[in-house]
Amino acid sequence: MSVLDSKIPEGSIDKKWTNHKNHIRLVNPANKRSIDIIVVGTGLAGASAAASLAEMGYNVKAFCFQDSPRRAHSIAAQGGINAAKNYQNDGDSVYRLFYDTVKGGDYRSRESNVHRLAEVSADIIDQCVAQGVPFAREYGGLLDNRSFGGVQVSRTFYAKGQTGQQLLLGAYSALSRQISKGKVKMYNRHEMLDLVMVDDKARGIIARNLVTGKVERHAAHAVVLCTGGYGNVFFLSTNAMGSNVTAAWKAHKRGAFMANPCFTQIHPTCIPVSGDHQSKLTLMSESLRNDGRIWVPKKIEDAQAIREGRLKPTQLAEEDRDYYLERRYPSFGNLVPRDVASRAAKERCDAGFGVNATGQAVYLDFASAIERYGKEQASIHGMNNASKDEIIAMGKKVVEAKYGNLFEMYEKIKDQNPYETPMMIYPAVHYTMGGIWVDYNLMTTVKGCFACGEANFSDHGANRLGASALMQGLADGYFVLPYTIGDYLADDILTGKISTDQPAFEQAEKNVNDRLETLLSIQGSKTVDHFHKRLGKIMWDKCGMSRNAEGLKEAMVEIKALREEFWKDVKVPGSINGLNPELEKAGRVADFLELGELMCLDALTRNESCGGHFREEFQTSEGEAMRDDENFTFVSVFEYTGEPGEAVLHKEDLNYEAIEVKTRSYK
Amino acid sequence: MNLTLKVWRQKDANSKGEIVAYDVKDISEEMSFLEMLDVLNEKLVAEGDEPIAFDHDCREGICGACSLYINGEPHGPMNRTTTCQLHMRSFKDGETVFIEPWRAKAFPVIKDLMVDRSAFDRIIQAGGYVSVNTSGNTIDANAIPIPKEDADEAFDAATCIGCGACVAACKNASAMLFVSAKVSQLSLLPQGKVEAEERVKNMVEQMDHEGFGACTVTGACEAECPKGISLENISRMNREYLKATVSPGK
Ligand SMILES: Cc1cc2nc3c(=O)[nH]c(=O)nc-3n(C[C@H](O)[C@H](O)[C@H](O)COP(=O)(O)OP(=O)(O)OC[C@H]3O[C@@H](n4cnc5c(N)ncnc54)[C@H](O)[C@@H]3O)c2cc1C
Ligand code: SF4
Ligand code: FES
């Protein structure tokens, strides 16, 4: 038998969660008061988990590295959150959301988890509205929805282009309420630097107070990691600057297996790179593909003229444009899933049709939407003879109401007005489907260590559908973990307080201090960012949008060499005492330099193309991904053995009972 | 372009700070203001100096982490723009740029350009929430229709990013715009109305306790707020506060 026990409950797919909740062990309210839980991370997953656990009666200690929980990376999510409410009466249902998510994930996710996610999705919306989250509404006062990629219903709830902000502020307010009651003790500007194991259980963490520099011990009966994704291993991504893998990686080294680490989502619509100085990339929400049409010139000489500034996109006649998504995928058109849209953009740019100076951009055009909405407005207002200018002006107003803040953001960065000229966009690293392996209870392979939100691998398979990460983070934190953690903690009601005066804490603290001292003592010749950028380039070139065996093997050798160079030649200024952002960065990049190698190993092992993982060797003659269900219908789960490139592969076989596995087609 | 930067350097909360001048060269117009500081920091580290500490994270104008008082204005010269969204095309070759931290008693400096804004968190903890449990046993989200106008107005107030520019802009270092944005959001929605009176009293009390100054309605906060939070929120909060404190039976 595999070392992995996914603990999927018995019964038919739609009864599993209910049965499980009915039979799972509970901790009674009085006993909860004697149990401590550490929650690392206060994004959507962490803030909702910490608030819920505290409400149930546990004593919670929560940690984040920002100066306030309100600033977690979740705040930046733009487009929306899915839920199977079927308010639009367009045929949506729990089953359909479940089905879309499994299909969108290219049949590489665990069926039972995804079904549970779809089941609790509706509760999330009720919860958020009750908290005062101001979702967009229609004139009748009911909630509005829009559509996201890879689905044919409108099930996405949103708050302009700031859905993540509003949801996080909702979770933050629930967390704040518990902080004020003393049920959560909040540690801002603290970074977890190790997981502490006593016997074979997670019993605490080592964290550094980023202001004083002091390395501290914190004990608890269980540790919940809600530390987000690791897209910044690519240096440039749409993630916040501080997003990192450190907490997850430390847990990995303590025995938590990593699942599908190479499954990375490259988002098709981001603002293209403009130069070497670039520190991050900015997303233009997927919701824009509801109304924006993606194209490049049909003729290569027009593309060239545009690149050289001799031709403007608005001058190009309709018949000279190639709306390549509409051409290749007529039934989903511009709303194909992200992996498909990204690869199609790369294909056109590689073929020489790119439209910015570097040839790495395509257009996202709103002209037809502006005209369509303008005509609709004219009709609503009975303006039968509206002039073209009047129509366009009214259309712009509608588009502004829908996407105003995104257009503003684009204009600030590019100094171009997207109401007048099409946006230029290109794919960028955005999200990591891979992460810490968890069982149905969200427990990792380390007893007492749990993982929620983007940090775990659980629900999105090889490709995440838009608006599903927010849903998963809140589902895990509000509705799943608070129940499932009881099953583990039921054994701990008599344990009593965990002391930090134990050899395990002492040793872990010493390791952390030693490592920080080592980083400071190298005093080499190159900055942390120098190494981070080089790692990012290797990852993007060889483990990015398309991969091949040869490149991946090279990348593994290069990353290992880069890691050795880092530990000999990095320069970290300042001291361990007090605030030292360069030291923080150095620790994170050191972990990325290990993770990168594991990602390449995973990509190399998976001899198929699925979702965001595209292996050039495995494609159809039309350039579509070729999955190999016979040999690869499993989760790749890696055990750390001392060297990232020598991790041991375990397989969790995926069984599909409620869904028939098909070739994924959006044509 | 080349610029001279005059930057506030302060070792820690207990040390005295001073302005230090730096020259930065070959800055591209496409860079953001923080990327320009990254370039300077890379140079400082390479030369063995300590880089300038400043808060930042999303670099998309939404997390509220970045701050900086640039040439006498919070978040610099562009209206409705955070420092991370400010681009170097707003500056001229050869210009001298002054960069200082937020200045307010309630926001003590931690290091260089970084300040402690945890007072804002404590104000929210005092009542900036709806007291509803996260049990999942709430009523259906569409059970109470909310007029679109109210929902939109609540949303506009809710877009505050908690950056603190309003405090930095105000000569009295008042936090009224920040506090009123949250009070307004929740008092405009039926879910928040239930405890509106308690909320406004508690939040205002905490605000005073943190050492923020009084509001004399100069409007500097609104003018400098990167999210365009409106002064109307302050009027609304004043009305709510009055209702909560002088209504009969209280
Ligand atoms: C620009 C952008 C737009 C997006 N838009 C959407 C969207 O419209 N819809 C959607 O569904 N999804 C969207 N996503 C994805 C979604 O936002 C994220 O997947 C999700 O918010 C992650 O939430 P989280 O709680 O797991 O982690 P995060 O929000 O990333 O939180 C991580 C937390 O962990 C803490 N942390 C990390 N490491 C440590 C450590 N070592 N010690 C202490 N604390 C630590 C951080 O301080 C933070 O509090 C978007 C993502 C991006 C980048
Ligand atoms: S009101 Fe404006 S300036 Fe003040 S904290 Fe909120 S967003 Fe910042
Ligand atoms: S860094 Fe997030 S708002 Fe500026």
Side-chain angles (χ1 to χ4, degrees):
Chain A
M1 203 192 96
S2 164
V3 292
L4 300 163
D5 179 4
S6 47
K7 301 217 178 95
I8 301 170
E10 296 296 318
S12 67
I13 189 93
D14 54 334
K15 300 280 171 354
K16 284 181 197 287
W17 177 229
T18 311
N19 284 346
H20 191 59
K21 275 205 294 188
N22 288 342
H23 295 106
I24 203 166
R25 294 186 301 166
L26 300 174
V27 179
N28 83 27
N31 287 332
K32 284 198 185 100
R33 285 197 286 275
S34 60
I35 289 186
D36 303 329
I37 301 176
I38 285 176
V39 178
V40 188
T42 50
L44 283 180
S48 57
S52 305
L53 292 168
E55 239 163 51
M56 294 169 85
Y58 296 109
N59 308 308
V60 177
K61 279 181 167 188
F63 293 79
C64 74
F65 65 75
Q66 290 92 347
D67 67 330
S68 161
R70 69 178 293 148
R71 307 205 202 284
H73 166 59
S74 294
I75 199 97
Q78 300 174 348
I81 177 166
N82 289 330
K85 278 286 199 185
N86 194 25
Y87 282 160
Q88 306 303 325
N89 200 17
D90 55 4
D92 200 9
S93 62
V94 166
Y95 183 81
R96 198 177 281 276
L97 173 54
F98 157 67
Y99 174 82
D100 286 343
T101 308
V102 173
K103 176 185 172 194
D106 219 355
Y107 305 94
R108 291 293 175 265
S109 48
R110 192 189 287 150
E111 213 181 47
S112 54
N113 285 50
V114 179
H115 199 277
R116 174 175 66 189
L117 175 66
E119 282 175 61
V120 302
S121 65
D123 288 348
I124 298 175
I125 304 304
D126 298 342
Q127 179 64 44
C128 294
V129 167
Q131 284 169 346
V133 170
F135 284 121
R137 287 179 184 265
E138 297 168 344
Y139 282 99
L142 302 181
L143 292 162
D144 193 17
N145 291 114
R146 59 187 172 203
S147 200
F148 258 53
V151 304
Q152 291 172 313
V153 294
S154 283
R155 65 161 73 99
T156 306
F157 294 80
Y158 67 100
K160 272 208 183 146
Q162 283 146 267
T163 317
Q165 178 193 31
Q166 296 311 317
L167 294 174
L168 183 62
L169 292 180
Y172 162 75
S173 70
L175 175 65
S176 297
R177 178 166 163 247
Q178 298 305 320
I179 295 174
S180 75
K181 290 181 172 180
K183 286 303 292 178
V184 176
K185 178 139 178 51
M186 185 68 220
Y187 294 83
N188 298 329
R189 295 201 198 263
H190 273 67
E191 180 166 28
M192 166 181 163
L193 293 178
D194 206 357
L195 181 71
V196 182
M197 308 278 297
V198 177
D199 301 325
D200 60 345
K201 290 182 175 148
R203 288 300 197 193
I205 64 168
I206 303 295
R208 180 164 176 266
N209 178 329
L210 300 178
V211 175
T212 63
K214 198 172 164 339
V215 172
E216 305 167 348
R217 306 175 188 181
H218 296 274
H221 297 84
V223 175
V224 186
L225 301 178
C226 307
T227 47
Y230 49 78
N232 278 347
V233 66
F234 290 85
F235 186 70
L236 286 181
S237 83
T238 61
N239 289 7
M241 299 297 288
S243 298
N244 69 87
V245 78
T246 290
W249 194 252
K250 301 303 184 195
H252 177 54
K253 288 178 133 177
R254 294 281 182 190
F257 296 178
M258 286 290 272
N260 299 330
C262 82
F263 285 176
T264 310
Q265 177 159 82
I266 315 261
H267 197 295
T269 56
C270 303
I271 301 181
V273 177
S274 73
D276 293 337
H277 57 267
Q278 195 118 10
S279 59
K280 73 155 289 172
L281 295 170
T282 302
L283 175 75
M284 287 286 108
S285 166
E286 178 156 307
S287 57
L288 294 172
R289 286 198 272 143
N290 272 295
D291 284 314
R293 297 175 71 196
I294 295 182
W295 63 276
V296 292
K298 233 180 221 161
K299 298 192 209 116
I300 203 140
E301 54 279 15
D302 286 343
Q304 179 134 22
I306 287 179
R307 283 201 292 274
E308 289 164 5
R310 288 181 283 118
L311 187 68
K312 289 206 174 80
T314 43
Q315 293 169 325
L316 216 61
E318 215 31 50
E319 59 272 20
D320 292 326
R321 303 173 176 199
D322 176 14
Y323 295 94
Y324 56 85
L325 289 177
E326 297 168 28
R327 168 170 60 78
R328 284 178 68 178
Y329 307 100
S331 69
F332 282 72
N334 291 293
L335 280 174
V336 291
R338 294 173 176 179
D339 52 338
V340 178
S342 289
R343 273 198 299 281
K346 180 175 174 353
E347 189 277 327
R348 282 295 77 193
C349 291
D350 288 351
F353 293 90
V355 294
N356 69 350
T358 61
Q360 305 251 298
V362 300
Y363 288 126
L364 178 62
D365 198 332
F366 296 89
S368 29
I370 289 176
E371 194 176 326
R372 175 165 44 89
Y373 284 125
K375 283 187 180 147
E376 191 181 291
Q377 287 298 308
S379 158
I380 291 172
H381 295 109
M383 298 165 64
N384 295 332
N385 305 320
S387 69
K388 174 125 192 172
D389 285 351
E390 282 170 328
I391 288 176
I392 298 294
M394 286 186 287
K396 280 182 186 165
K397 279 231 164 69
V398 175
V399 168
E400 186 185 343
K402 288 182 168 236
Y403 312 112
N405 71 317
L406 298 169
F407 276 49
E408 221 177 89
M409 188 141 83
Y410 183 85
E411 190 166 356
K412 273 178 193 157
I413 295 174
K414 293 311 285 181
D415 206 19
Q416 282 185 356
N417 180 350
Y419 294 99
E420 307 290 341
T421 183
M423 285 184 179
M424 284 192 275
I425 50 149
Y426 198 69
V429 173
H430 179 60
Y431 181 89
T432 47
M433 281 76 68
I436 310 173
W437 185 88
V438 288
D439 63 17
Y440 191 75
N441 288 336
L442 302 181
M443 188 157 90
T444 69
T445 48
V446 169
K447 281 184 213 147
C449 177
F450 295 77
C452 301
E454 194 174 338
N456 74 24
F457 89 106
S458 80
D459 298 344
H460 308 295
N463 173 60
R464 174 174 71 78
L465 289 182
S468 287
L470 301 181
M471 169 173 70
Q472 184 223 331
L474 290 179
D476 287 358
Y478 282 139
F479 302 125
V480 179
L481 180 89
Y483 296 102
T484 58
I485 201 170
D487 195 48
Y488 172 79
L489 290 171
D491 285 333
D492 256 335
I493 52 178
L494 295 175
T495 308
K497 262 233 155 336
I498 309 286
S499 161
T500 55
D501 281 333
Q502 304 189 55
F505 278 92
E506 197 177 318
Q507 188 59 45
E509 184 193 89
K510 184 176 177 316
N511 290 350
V512 166
N513 270 312
D514 288 352
R515 183 172 146 114
L516 293 168
E517 291 294 356
T518 308
L519 284 168
L520 287 163
S521 68
I522 299 167
Q523 289 302 319
S525 68
K526 300 196 181 76
T527 62
V528 175
D529 274 359
H530 166 92
F531 288 99
H532 197 177
K533 283 182 186 171
R534 277 169 61 193
L535 172 66
K537 182 156 171 35
I538 300 173
M539 293 300 293
W540 180 247
D541 289 346
K542 297 182 175 165
C543 194
M545 242 186 300
S546 72
R547 304 146 175 200
N548 62 57
E550 200 188 336
L552 289 163
K553 283 183 200 149
E554 284 164 15
M556 287 181 69
V557 175
E558 289 168 29
I559 293 170
K560 191 162 188 236
L562 187 64
R563 187 164 70 236
E564 281 161 15
E565 189 184 330
F566 172 91
W567 282 102
K568 281 194 201 108
D569 198 26
V570 72
K571 180 167 192 145
V572 184
S575 83
I576 194 169
N577 303 315
L579 187 93
N580 188 345
E582 282 293 310
L583 180 60
E584 294 163 28
K585 257 191 338 201
R588 293 171 195 162
V589 171
D591 293 333
F592 281 141
L593 281 163
E594 298 184 6
L595 166 74
E597 197 183 337
L598 178 66
M599 290 170 71
C600 294
L601 174 67
D602 181 29
L604 184 61
T605 324
R606 192 167 276 279
N607 286 320
E608 64 162 350
S609 293
C610 61
H613 169 67
F614 188 77
R615 279 280 300 273
E616 287 157 13
E617 303 95 315
F618 306 100
Q619 56 179 310
T620 65
S621 53
E622 289 167 308
E624 303 294 339
M626 226 158 63
R627 233 175 44 215
D628 178 354
D629 291 332
E630 201 171 314
N631 296 303
F632 288 94
T633 308
F634 61 78
V635 181
S636 300
V637 190
F638 290 93
E639 177 180 5
Y640 184 78
T641 55
E643 271 292 321
E646 288 161 23
V648 173
L649 173 66
H650 302 277
K651 296 175 183 175
E652 179 195 342
D653 287 324
L654 294 168
N655 300 313
Y656 292 96
E657 287 160 14
I659 280 186
E660 186 197 345
V661 178
K662 289 199 203 130
T663 307
R664 181 163 155 257
S665 168
Y666 294 93
K667 293 193 184 278
Chain B
M1 64 175 90
N2 301 328
L3 301 167
T4 303
L5 305 181
K6 302 231 166 154
V7 185
W8 183 260
R9 303 295 315 251
Q10 181 173 337
K11 193 163 172 294
D12 53 38
N14 306 319
S15 312
K16 257 185 78 172
E18 58 174 352
I19 293 276
V20 178
Y22 300 95
D23 288 327
V24 286
K25 297 205 165 58
D26 297 329
I27 297 300
S28 125
E29 299 206 325
E30 300 260 305
M31 283 184 192
S32 71
F33 196 82
L34 297 184
E35 284 168 349
M36 184 274 294
L37 287 180
D38 290 343
V39 170
L40 172 60
N41 275 345
E42 280 284 291
K43 188 169 140 238
L44 291 176
V45 174
E47 289 167 357
D49 290 331
E50 274 218 45
I52 300 160
F54 57 90
D55 269 315
H56 67 108
D57 198 24
C58 73
R59 297 206 175 184
E60 285 190 7
I62 193 74
C63 74
C66 65
S67 51
L68 306 193
Y69 207 69
I70 302 168
N71 285 342
E73 278 185 271
H75 293 302
M78 280 269 280
N79 272 345
R80 298 201 56 177
T81 304
T82 56
T83 294
C84 60
Q85 291 286 81
L86 177 66
H87 281 71
M88 294 313 292
R89 60 182 87 92
S90 299
F91 297 86
K92 286 191 291 293
D93 187 30
E95 206 176 323
T96 299
V97 184
F98 283 85
I99 310 174
E100 291 174 79
W102 285 172
R103 303 276 186 205
K105 193 171 105 203
F107 289 164
V109 171
I110 293 173
K111 181 174 184 171
D112 297 338
L113 303 170
M114 240 181 208
V115 300
D116 178 357
R117 286 171 288 194
S118 53
F120 272 10
D121 282 335
R122 290 187 293 273
I123 295 174
I124 300 294
Q125 285 155 22
Y129 46 76
V130 175
S131 296
V132 55
N133 276 0
T134 64
S135 58
N137 294 326
T138 42
I139 55 170
D140 185 84
N142 260 348
I144 311 175
I146 301 177
K148 182 169 164 50
E149 262 175 49
D150 291 352
D152 287 350
E153 220 178 323
F155 170 82
D156 286 342
T159 57
C160 162
I161 58 174
C163 63
C166 44
V167 175
C170 175
K171 65 179 169 48
N172 308 321
S174 163
M176 284 289 272
L177 196 61
F178 167 79
V179 180
S180 68
K182 187 48 75 184
V183 166
S184 285
Q185 175 204 341
L186 296 178
S187 68
L188 280 160
L189 298 171
Q191 291 81 4
K193 281 214 167 81
V194 184
E195 17 173 16
E197 298 194 354
E198 277 306 299
R199 174 180 309 116
V200 68
K201 275 195 296 190
N202 292 340
M203 289 180 75
V204 167
E205 192 185 327
Q206 187 67 31
M207 170 179 83
D208 293 341
H209 178 74
E210 294 288 349
F212 292 102
C215 174
T216 52
V217 206
T218 65
C221 52
E222 183 191 56
E224 295 296 347
C225 171
K227 296 292 138 180
I229 302 296
S230 146
L231 275 182
E232 273 169 45
N233 291 303
I234 297 189
S235 318
R236 186 179 294 110
M237 177 160 97
N238 283 335
R239 286 196 301 275
E240 294 280 328
Y241 188 74
L242 219 61
K243 243 194 328 195
T245 48
V246 305
S247 62
K250 289 269 151 49

